[in-house]
Amino acid sequence: MESIFHEKQEGSLCAQHCLNNLLQGEYFSPVELSSIAHQLDEEERMRMAEGGVTSEDYRTFLQTMAAAATAAAAAAATGSTRTALTSV
């Protein structure tokens, strides 16, 4: 029987460990997942702007993104990634 890959949980990198365990290998690092997240954020911003940058939906979206950035900065200052993810 083949061995089962299991990446031990470290810090608050739940998504990384979940993906790597599911895919049965070291496929994603925190840096790679962060890069993917930034790319998705930019794509989402562009899609939201298609409806018009003066629309209420777009303004709400920008406020949400600003709040997420503030929470992420506060979490980085304290060393907690969980706060950044759950405070938005």
Side-chain angles (χ1 to χ4, degrees):
M1 182 173 148
E2 293 181 37
S3 64
I4 295 175
F5 177 84
H6 177 74
E7 186 173 76
K8 186 177 179 183
Q9 180 72 35
E10 295 177 11
S12 296
L13 302 173
C14 303
Q16 174 195 333
H17 302 307
C18 179
L19 287 169
N20 287 340
N21 288 335
L22 179 68
L23 297 172
Q24 289 294 288
E26 293 182 34
Y27 290 93
F28 294 101
S29 72
V31 172
E32 291 167 324
L33 290 175
S34 177
S35 176
I36 292 168
H38 288 293
Q39 291 171 8
L40 290 172
D41 286 344
E42 181 59 23
E43 186 172 326
E44 183 180 24
R45 187 195 62 73
M46 290 180 349
R47 297 287 182 255
M48 290 296 295
E50 287 174 358
V53 294
T54 59
S55 72
E56 183 64 31
D57 286 341
Y58 188 71
R59 285 195 299 264
T60 300
F61 168 75
L62 290 179
Q63 289 172 345
T64 302
M65 294 300 289
T70 301
T78 63
S80 170
T81 55
R82 182 164 290 250
T83 303
L85 297 174
T86 58
S87 64
V88 177

